[in-house]
Amino acid sequence: MDKLVIEGGKPLSGTIVIQGAKNAALPILAACMLVEGKVTIDQVPKLLDIDVMLNILRELGCRAEHEDQTVLLDTSSLHSSHIPEALMRQMRSSIFLMGPLLARFGEVTIYQPGGCAIGERKIDLHLSGLQALGAEIEEDGSRIACYAKKLRGAEIHLDFPSVGATENIMMAAVLAEGLTTISNAAREPEIQDLQHFLNRMGAKIIGAGTDTITVEGVERLTPCNYQVIPDRIVTGTVMVAAAATRGQVTLLNTCPSHLTSLIHVLRRTGVQIAVDGDIIKVGTASRPKSIDRIVTSPYPAFPTDLQSQIMVLLALADGVSIMKETIFEGRFKHVDELARMGADIRVDLSSAIVRGVSRLYGATVEATDLRAGAALVIAGLAAQGKTVVEQVHHIDRGYDRIEEMLGRLGARITRFSPITNNTIVP
Ligand code: UD1
């Protein structure tokens, strides 16, 4: 497994272009299965999760190429709606294929994606949503088969505004007969992006970005070209890294309105942020101030996907902060790793009490999941001395060559790959 070696203590500085959003690209690629023909999707980042999704699509009979940041798909030869268990287990987001394949083939077989490092991650809302649209569901161990000769529009209320369930139901409802209403829908920007993409293909969806989404079923969709939105979590990660290293960074190709809660929190810590169109400038030279309480919640509140990264900044702040995680029960795994670097953090159920220290020190630490890994990289950049981050494949799921991205901002970060026994210097 690759490692990242970081020589910390150098403020980040310079300009960076932000990659396309993984969490928008994944459902959009799945949604392509609703249409027959050639679809081109731009600004798709080169990531492990995207590779896995494209491999699944190839396995189902699609032609898929990923050149630079563009994915070319031809779904005309799609012949299967059975997702092999081994591929299903590689990535939870394969669940997004349920709605589109059910709508196109009238049946789909998947396997339980299972729990993961950050929590149990149930799929009951996905299944009950599809059932409401008329699907019959048979569960046999971890195998789940869904059948529906014809999906029919329905009124669906989600007990929790799940991002994935909202997207799956939207995709299934596009080709259903009649009107579907999803209430207590998730409001994340990636859901708006999915609506824009589906509507570009001829779907009739309104309401994404609010808590009520209405889908009027159509007979068929037409292929199109589309560009996914910039990645708000990668943007946020770089913003926090700039703040934690007390640097000055300009981020291009961003959607500042998707990061209102982070911008508010960073300003409260004393970080200077200037926004101009799709450009964000972040800078600070002083020690951050603590924040009494940050709570992760569904959008537009503070995102769980930036919880571990902001905790690094709070770990270096002047004073005590409290971070409450309400989305995933297992999302404090970075705390023990940060403690190895000198952080003073105590976890009490779903809250972390962070007592700021004036300095972190380099250590060997392990990325336990994607965002925890990103947090450790930020900690390594801010720390005094050398940090080794192990299990980098978790980080590669969501950041396109993170060492090159941060290297462009002056970070001293090198990937060590044991397979080739080579160091890869950005
Ligand atoms: C998406 C994002 C992920 C982000 C999360 C929350 C993608 C590919 N991933 O994940 O990066 O951290 O939103 O913003 O877009 N739940 C149920 N039953 C269900 C579905 C979800 O109980 O059927 C629970 C989950 O266990 C979790 C909570 O709802 O506690 C949020 O999950 P959800 O919003 O569905 O997240 P994902 O779509 O998996």
Side-chain angles (χ1 to χ4, degrees), residues 22-24 26-27 49 91-93 95-96 118-128 158 160-167 186 188 190 232-233 297-299 303-306 325-329 331 370-371 397:
K22 165 179 91 76
N23 288 353
L26 287 168
D49 275 10
M91 183 185 59
R92 188 187 150 78
S93 299
I95 191 85
F96 290 136
I118 61 172
E120 189 186 4
R121 306 192 80 169
K122 291 185 287 185
I123 59 166
D124 54 317
L125 298 171
H126 297 245
L127 298 181
S128 58
L158 296 177
F160 180 85
S162 153
V163 177
T166 303
E167 293 170 335
E188 270 67 2
E190 293 77 18
R232 65 192 166 103
I233 305 301
S297 288
Y299 188 86
T304 175
D305 283 355
L306 286 171
E325 170 62 54
T326 72
I327 307 291
F328 294 113
E329 63 276 16
R331 217 163 196 188
L370 166 57
R371 307 303 173 187
R397 285 188 39 228

Side-chain angles (χ1 to χ4, degrees), residues 41-111:
I41 312 291
D42 286 321
Q43 202 162 265
V44 181
K46 292 256 178 167
L47 303 171
L48 274 183
D49 275 10
I50 299 287
D51 289 347
V52 174
M53 177 60 91
L54 294 179
N55 281 338
I56 295 176
L57 300 187
R58 290 186 189 108
E59 182 76 23
L60 301 177
C62 247
R63 290 180 57 196
E65 286 167 35
H66 195 177
E67 297 273 337
D68 298 323
Q69 304 292 302
T70 300
V71 168
L72 303 165
L73 283 180
D74 187 349
T75 67
S76 327
S77 47
L78 187 68
H79 55 67
S80 170
S81 58
H82 173 89
I83 305 176
E85 187 167 12
L87 285 173
M88 186 82 206
R89 287 200 181 281
Q90 281 181 29
M91 183 185 59
R92 188 187 150 78
S93 299
S94 44
I95 191 85
F96 290 136
L97 286 160
M98 248 180 129
L101 290 174
L102 181 64
R104 175 139 171 208
F105 286 99
E107 60 172 27
V108 58
T109 314
I110 63 153
Y111 292 83

Side-chain angles (χ1 to χ4, degrees), residues 198-274:
L198 289 166
N199 285 349
R200 175 81 63 86
M201 293 203 295
K204 291 187 178 167
I205 310 174
I206 54 169
T210 74
D211 63 5
T212 305
I213 297 175
T214 307
V215 185
E216 189 186 332
V218 296
E219 286 273 318
R220 70 178 56 80
L221 299 177
T222 323
C224 72
N225 296 350
Y226 192 74
Q227 178 171 316
V228 301
I229 52 173
D231 195 308
R232 65 192 166 103
I233 305 301
V234 173
T235 308
T237 302
V238 176
M239 289 170 74
V240 176
T245 59
R246 300 183 200 168
Q248 297 279 344
V249 170
T250 301
L251 299 93
L252 308 181
N253 190 37
T254 71
C255 275
S257 63
H258 296 169
L259 283 154
T260 309
S261 60
L262 176 71
I263 290 172
H264 177 65
V265 161
L266 284 175
R267 282 188 173 141
R268 280 178 65 201
T269 68
V271 174
Q272 308 279 318
I273 297 177

Side-chain angles (χ1 to χ4, degrees), residues 173-185:
V174 160
L175 297 180
E177 201 176 286
L179 207 64
T180 298
T181 309
I182 311 170
S183 54
N184 198 28

